[in-house]
Amino acid sequence: MNKLNYLSIFIVFFTGFTTVMAGEVEPAPNGIEFPADYRDWRVISTSNRIDNKTLRVILGNDVAIKAARNGKTNPWPNGAILAKVVFKQGIAEHWSQAIVPKKFVHVEFMVKDTKKYASTGNWGYARWLGNKLKPHGENSNFAKTCVACHTPVKSNDYVFTEPAPMYNLPQK
Amino acid sequence: MNKLNYLSIFIVFFTGFTTVMAGEVEPAPNGIEFPADYRDWRVISTSNRIDNKTLRVILGNDVAIKAARNGKTNPWPNGAILAKVVFKQGIAEHWSQAIVPKKFVHVEFMVKDTKKYASTGNWGYARWLGNKLKPHGENSNFAKTCVACHTPVKSNDYVFTEPAPMYNLPQK
């Protein structure tokens, strides 16, 4: 085997490896890619839904955090992405009076882009289910259900989340 | 006025300004400085305490996040800092079945240092109250109360928080 063949094998292996790394989570049916770094985003709020016994953590990318901290959230700026991480709740192991996250249910996103997502209220919707992060929805029509649920808060730029008042601190 | 005087005024003004910026929050009575950048830390978990109707977001500095993601939390490593941001809860404006943060109550910290805080179970405790971030405690004895409350979870390295299972995802 000559050097070129070794090189080819290396390229094939390396390219394949890279593809697996980047493509380990399938995109949503509307083409939205999984934001693989969402766990590193900063917190906007939390909530406890008593109707379905879930706890949620709402995170934002840098654009969303800047908007939240400056109260510029109606409308949210283009480029803002909100992530909602949803957990089945349970009782804390060491404190019987605390409800805490016990099981990862899904993570869902709203991506603000007034051009790209004009047909769905200026937001792109995506959700990935369970620890395998299976994309939600059979085809891109799934987003119609998202829009329908969010339409009652159209006057709040389709967003249910109220940024937590953790930002009301002396500013640097 | 000569150039030197102008320079002196500039230095005095600039130095004073810097001091106000850095020192706007008083340190805790045990000497722990307010971690001014805690809002930029990443999330470890959330909880809803039904006994006092508060929602909490638990954040960690880089050392704590690395430990949480690798399950190395008993004991937590030196340098780990946990922040608990506490909010009075209320009903969400746009969803009557959701409990959400309404008012900032306080932010409290646990700082792991087996040398510096050996006398208080290897953790330094600090808490700042309300939007003015007034340090909690009259003197350094305040930490005795913290240790007493945390002693039931001594076998869990004095920590109540269970890191949320949001990290159980395909790893990059």
Side-chain angles (χ1 to χ4, degrees):
Chain A
M1 207 184 281
N2 62 28
K3 278 184 183 172
L4 198 64
N5 281 349
Y6 277 117
L7 187 64
S8 302
I9 287 168
F10 176 78
I11 289 172
V12 167
F13 176 79
F14 192 77
T15 312
F17 188 68
T18 308
T19 306
V20 170
M21 297 292 272
E24 59 196 349
V25 181
E26 277 184 50
N30 55 359
I32 294 179
E33 297 277 350
F34 182 69
D37 64 340
Y38 85 89
R39 301 183 301 162
D40 293 330
W41 296 358
R42 290 167 285 175
V43 71
I44 289 181
S45 194
T46 181
S47 67
N48 185 189
R49 267 189 56 181
I50 54 183
D51 53 341
N52 62 12
K53 297 192 185 305
T54 55
L55 274 173
R56 285 111 187 285
V57 173
I58 299 96
L59 307 173
N61 69 350
D62 289 349
V63 176
I65 289 294
K66 188 179 174 190
R69 291 186 181 181
N70 290 289
K72 308 282 188 190
T73 58
N74 199 0
W76 290 78
N78 271 343
I81 310 181
L82 305 175
K84 189 174 274 178
V85 200
V86 180
F87 306 98
K88 203 68 192 167
Q89 72 182 44
I91 301 299
E93 192 180 343
H94 304 291
W95 189 264
S96 66
Q97 298 296 298
I99 293 167
V100 297
K102 285 294 182 182
K103 195 185 167 198
F104 177 77
V105 177
H106 67 244
V107 58
E108 58 196 19
F109 297 87
M110 291 177 71
V111 183
K112 185 69 185 270
D113 190 320
T114 49
K115 285 187 180 169
K116 204 167 179 179
Y117 304 117
S119 68
T120 49
N122 297 329
W123 288 96
Y125 293 87
R127 176 188 283 172
W128 283 268
L129 311 168
N131 286 341
K132 292 189 174 172
L133 295 170
K134 187 179 177 301
H136 168 71
E138 291 296 313
N139 53 55
S140 63
N141 281 333
F142 85 91
K144 288 182 181 172
T145 318
C146 309
V147 176
C149 273
H150 282 254
T151 296
V153 285
K154 185 177 177 179
S155 67
N156 200 43
D157 196 19
Y158 293 92
V159 173
F160 286 97
T161 297
E162 309 160 34
M166 64 186 292
Y167 302 124
N168 193 12
L169 305 173
Q171 297 295 309
K172 273 194 288 187
Chain B
M1 208 183 281
N2 62 28
K3 278 183 182 172
L4 197 64
N5 281 350
Y6 276 118
L7 186 65
S8 302
I9 287 169
F10 176 78
I11 288 171
V12 167
F13 176 79
F14 192 77
T15 312
F17 188 67
T18 309
T19 307
V20 171
M21 299 290 272
E24 59 197 348
V25 180
E26 277 183 50
N30 54 358
I32 294 179
E33 296 277 351
F34 182 69
D37 64 340
Y38 84 89
R39 300 183 301 163
D40 293 331
W41 296 358
R42 290 168 285 174
V43 70
I44 289 180
S45 195
T46 181
S47 67
N48 177 6
R49 267 191 56 183
I50 53 184
D51 52 341
N52 62 11
K53 296 191 185 306
T54 55
L55 276 174
R56 286 111 187 286
V57 173
I58 299 95
L59 307 173
N61 69 351
D62 289 348
V63 175
I65 289 294
K66 188 179 174 190
R69 291 186 181 181
N70 291 288
K72 307 282 189 192
T73 59
N74 198 0
W76 291 78
N78 271 343
I81 310 181
L82 304 175
K84 190 174 274 177
V85 200
V86 180
F87 306 98
K88 203 70 190 167
Q89 70 182 42
I91 301 298
E93 192 179 341
H94 304 291
W95 190 264
S96 66
Q97 299 296 298
I99 293 167
V100 296
K102 286 292 182 183
K103 195 185 167 196
F104 177 79
V105 177
H106 67 245
V107 58
E108 57 196 20
F109 297 87
M110 290 178 72
V111 183
K112 184 69 185 270
D113 190 321
T114 49
K115 285 188 181 168
K116 204 166 178 180
Y117 303 117
S119 68
T120 49
N122 296 331
W123 288 97
Y125 292 87
R127 176 187 284 173
W128 284 269
L129 311 167
N131 286 341
K132 292 189 174 172
L133 295 171
K134 186 179 179 300
H136 168 72
E138 292 296 313
N139 54 55
S140 63
N141 282 333
F142 84 92
K144 288 182 182 173
T145 318
C146 309
V147 176
C149 274
H150 283 254
T151 296
V153 285
K154 185 177 178 179
S155 67
N156 200 43
D157 196 20
Y158 293 93
V159 173
F160 285 98
T161 296
E162 308 160 35
M166 64 186 293
Y167 302 124
N168 193 13
L169 305 174
Q171 297 295 310
K172 274 193 289 187

